[in-house]
Structure formats: C-alpha cells, structure tokens
Amino acid sequence: MKSSLLFIIKSTLLGIVVSVILLALIPQLRNGNQLQVRNIFPGDMPQKVSFAEAINRSAPAVVNIYSQKTIRRSAMFRNNEVERTSLGSGVIMSENGYILTCLHVIAGADTIEVIVAEQSKVHEAQVIGFDPLTDLAVLKINANNLPVIPQLEEGEENKTQVGDLVLAIGNPYNLGQTITQGIISATGRSEVSQLGIATHRNFIQMDATLNEGNSGGALVDSNGYLVGINNANYKILEGGQPKDVPGVFFAVPYQMAKKVMRDIISKGRVIRGYAGLQGVDHELAGVIITAVENRSPASRAGIQVSDVLMSVGGTEINSAVEVQSIVSNTLPGTTLDFEIKRKGETIVVPVVVGDFDRVLRNG
C-alpha cells in the first residue's frame, strides 16, 4: 500500500515537472491553443512542392482548338453530308496571334475556331502552313496583346535532358484546361511507332499523360518554359489494329517546332538539307554508314557503306540523330565536310547538301 502511494506521488510530480517544461518551451499552450506538431517542430516540416507559378506563367498561352469538316458519304440513291468536329490544343507563340498546333488536329478542316482561355472569346483561325514530317501546323488569329508561352532566348542552349520534370497542358476530352505531370524518359526518338512515324521528328519521350484533345498543347518545364509541342502516344499493332501503349507519350522538341514555324511564316515551307545516307551509332565513336541512296548528295560525293563518319562540318558526331540534325538544319546548296574513316585511313569528303523537300516532291 505504501509503495503504491509512493509510485502515485512520484508519477504526479513527474507529470507536473513535464507540464512546466512544456509550458516554458511552447508559449501557445499557455493560451489554451490546440497542440499541433508544427508548433513543436516548426522548422522540420517539409515545404509544399508546387508548380503553380510555372502553370500561371504558361497556361494562359495554351488554347483550345475546334476544327470542323464536312464528310460526304455515298449511300444508296443519295449522298449524305456529315459534319465532324475535331478537338485539340494549341500554343500561342507570338502576341500578334501565331499559334503552333499539330497538323492532325486541323487536317482537312473547313473551319477552325480557337478559344483563348483568358479572353473566353472565340477566334476564327487561318492556316498559314503545315509540315507533314513533324505533324506541325501554324495558325493565325486576328488578335493582339495575347499571352505568349515563355520561350528560350534566341541562341540559348537547350538544357532539356532525361530526368527533367515536365508538365503537359491541354484540353483532354474537352474537359477544359488540364495539367498532367511526368519526366522526360528519352530524347531524340526518331522512330516512335510501328505505324511508320517519320524519322525527321526526333521526339521527346515522356510519361506525362496525353489524351484526345491534348495534341498540339504545350509541354513545359518546372519553370513554365516551353519544352515541346505535345503530339501522340506510342502505338503498336495488335490484331491488325492500332493500340495505345500507356505511359509512353511524345512531343516535338521546342527548337524543331520553332524552326518549322519560322520557315513556314517566312518562306512558305520548311527548308531541310538532305544528304541521302543512313547509319547506326558506332560502339566507340562516330556513325557507321549502312546505306547510301542512289544519285544522292552523299553518293555523288563518294561516301560508301561501312565508312565511319566522325564529323560533319567540323562538329564531332556521336549518333545518327546528330548527323540528321546537322544536315537538316543546313541550307540546300551548302557544302559540308564529312570526315570519315575508311580502311584505317581518315579522309575528308565535301558533300553539297540537297533539298529534302524536292526529293519528297519527286518521289
């Protein structure tokens, strides 16, 4: 009995001491405030991660696009006309109304309407031009002082790399502007599908979800700067039918999209250089030439299969994608020095760059 009473007295005294210490250390308790963890350890709570600032900076420049086209269907004894509306997104690239979107969003459209989120106003859009190889189109609306997507300065280095966090902005299923998040999974994807997507696209691969209506929208970094134009998700053929693969999505890189837009506005078409060769990355350095097209600039210059291409125009080469990028961005008629290794010797072969558009037109 005595020992129990002693235990109770000791426990009571200990409780009083602890209470006094808590009251001394936590002044909020003296006023009867509710005890919260952040009051005890105010400096240990992690800060909230938010990309609201990036979205506030970039989202106003992403528009909704609605395109309508009339489809004529022949039926027995009569012709039916059906209007079909396509849904997509676009990115305002200049305050006077130039907009980038995907060609498949507006292909064959009779009318195209653009809604700018900040204005809640419908604008009729004019097609300035398009580029099937990158699936990009340039639109123009009659408006000024529009919100413009944040972009890298001219000549500023592209620092986009695998592992960067990105945000996709668009209008999926016409729900209204929606943001999805992911990371860049790969860059320089030149052939992204079993359905024959053109190799000139050099896609960014990421896992930010794209759904119907996201095409043509903006892919931005964590600061709100434009990284690419959202395009499509990966597709495979299953039972003869295309099937979407979840978690694998693609965007046209900003630099490529900007060049396409600039060429279309200033020249009416995209100007691309052409050499007429194919290659695979060498395990050590350079690119091994695997094919040379007949009567192509590379063929006329004397480049051969099994040559190892080490540099183009003075730039060292580490991948076939780099070769394509350098040649594509060179004006037709320009001479580029191709440094190659052949049977242990290093030689320099001058190649007069051709016009890729002319090759396409001539089949």
Side-chain angles (χ1 to χ4, degrees):
M1 182 70 176
K2 184 177 180 181
S3 61
S4 298
L5 182 61
L6 185 62
F7 174 77
I8 293 172
I9 293 172
K10 286 183 177 180
S11 299
T12 303
L13 290 173
L14 180 61
I16 292 172
V17 171
V18 171
S19 299
V20 170
I21 293 173
L22 287 174
L23 287 171
L25 293 177
I26 308 175
Q28 292 91 334
L29 294 177
R30 301 173 198 168
N31 301 323
N33 292 343
Q34 185 178 0
L35 180 62
Q36 296 183 8
V37 175
R38 65 173 176 269
N39 291 331
I40 303 176
F41 307 107
D44 293 344
M45 293 294 288
Q47 291 187 350
K48 181 178 71 172
V49 177
S50 174
F51 302 103
E53 186 175 341
I55 295 303
N56 289 338
R57 188 180 295 130
S58 55
V62 180
V63 300
N64 299 343
I65 296 178
Y66 303 90
S67 59
Q68 287 190 332
K69 59 183 175 182
T70 302
I71 301 174
R72 293 174 175 82
R73 295 176 176 173
S74 297
M76 190 175 295
F77 306 118
R78 64 177 182 176
N79 291 327
N80 291 331
E81 290 189 353
V82 179
E83 284 194 352
R84 178 174 294 176
T85 301
S86 295
L87 174 67
S89 303
V91 181
I92 300 175
M93 301 294 289
S94 67
E95 64 177 11
N96 63 339
Y98 282 105
I99 295 171
L100 266 175
T101 187
C102 289
L103 174 57
H104 71 260
V105 169
I106 55 94
D110 298 315
T111 60
I112 302 170
E113 293 182 337
V114 170
I115 297 180
V116 181
E118 279 195 346
Q119 300 176 349
S120 297
K121 181 179 178 182
V122 178
H123 300 268
E124 188 171 341
Q126 173 191 359
V127 179
I128 301 300
F130 52 83
D131 179 47
L133 285 180
T134 54
D135 189 34
L136 290 172
V138 179
L139 307 180
K140 178 72 167 63
I141 60 175
N142 186 21
N144 290 296
N145 300 318
L146 293 168
V148 178
I149 196 83
Q151 302 167 51
L152 294 174
E153 296 294 332
E154 198 70 33
E156 191 174 350
E157 181 184 0
N158 176 21
K159 298 179 181 178
T160 300
Q161 51 191 338
V162 174
D164 285 356
L165 186 144
V166 285
L167 306 163
I169 311 173
N171 179 26
Y173 302 119
N174 204 26
L175 290 172
Q177 196 169 84
T178 302
I179 317 298
T180 56
Q181 174 196 324
I183 63 167
I184 293 179
S185 310
T187 58
R189 291 298 198 206
S190 56
E191 192 162 332
V192 302
S193 163
Q194 296 178 18
L195 304 180
I197 293 179
T199 58
H200 273 264
R201 295 186 183 183
N202 291 336
F203 279 100
I204 294 169
Q205 179 185 330
M206 41 85 182
D207 62 354
T209 302
L210 302 180
N211 290 303
E212 181 183 349
N214 275 109
S215 293
L219 186 70
V220 302
D221 63 19
S222 56
N223 291 321
Y225 279 80
L226 185 63
V227 170
I229 303 297
N230 295 324
N231 185 277
N233 59 329
Y234 187 74
K235 297 179 186 294
I236 60 173
L237 290 174
E238 188 172 280
Q241 297 296 322
K243 179 184 177 182
D244 293 343
V245 177
V248 184
F249 304 93
F250 297 92
V252 180
Y254 161 70
Q255 282 81 0
M256 179 178 289
K258 187 68 176 289
K259 179 187 183 301
V260 167
M261 184 183 75
R262 187 186 298 116
D263 282 359
I264 287 175
I265 293 173
S266 63
K267 302 165 186 169
R269 68 182 181 97
V270 181
I271 308 296
R272 290 188 180 89
Y274 160 75
L277 51 77
Q278 297 179 19
V280 296
D281 300 353
H282 194 283
E283 59 182 3
L284 298 177
V287 171
I288 303 173
I289 304 303
T290 57
V292 179
E293 297 178 24
N294 291 330
R295 299 186 297 278
S296 67
S299 174
R300 288 192 292 268
I303 292 179
Q304 302 173 10
V305 172
S306 298
D307 286 345
V308 179
L309 182 58
M310 303 302 296
S311 72
V312 177
T315 301
E316 290 187 5
I317 295 302
N318 295 307
S319 70
V321 170
E322 290 179 347
V323 179
Q324 176 188 295
S325 177
I326 293 172
V327 174
S328 294
N329 289 311
T330 300
L331 285 175
T334 304
T335 299
L336 285 178
D337 287 337
F338 281 49
E339 181 186 349
I340 61 175
K341 285 188 176 181
R342 180 186 297 167
K343 297 179 181 178
E345 295 185 8
T346 299
I347 60 176
V348 175
V349 179
V351 177
V352 179
V353 176
D355 188 333
F356 189 75
D357 188 55
R358 186 173 299 168
V359 174
L360 288 179
R361 291 198 305 267
N362 294 335

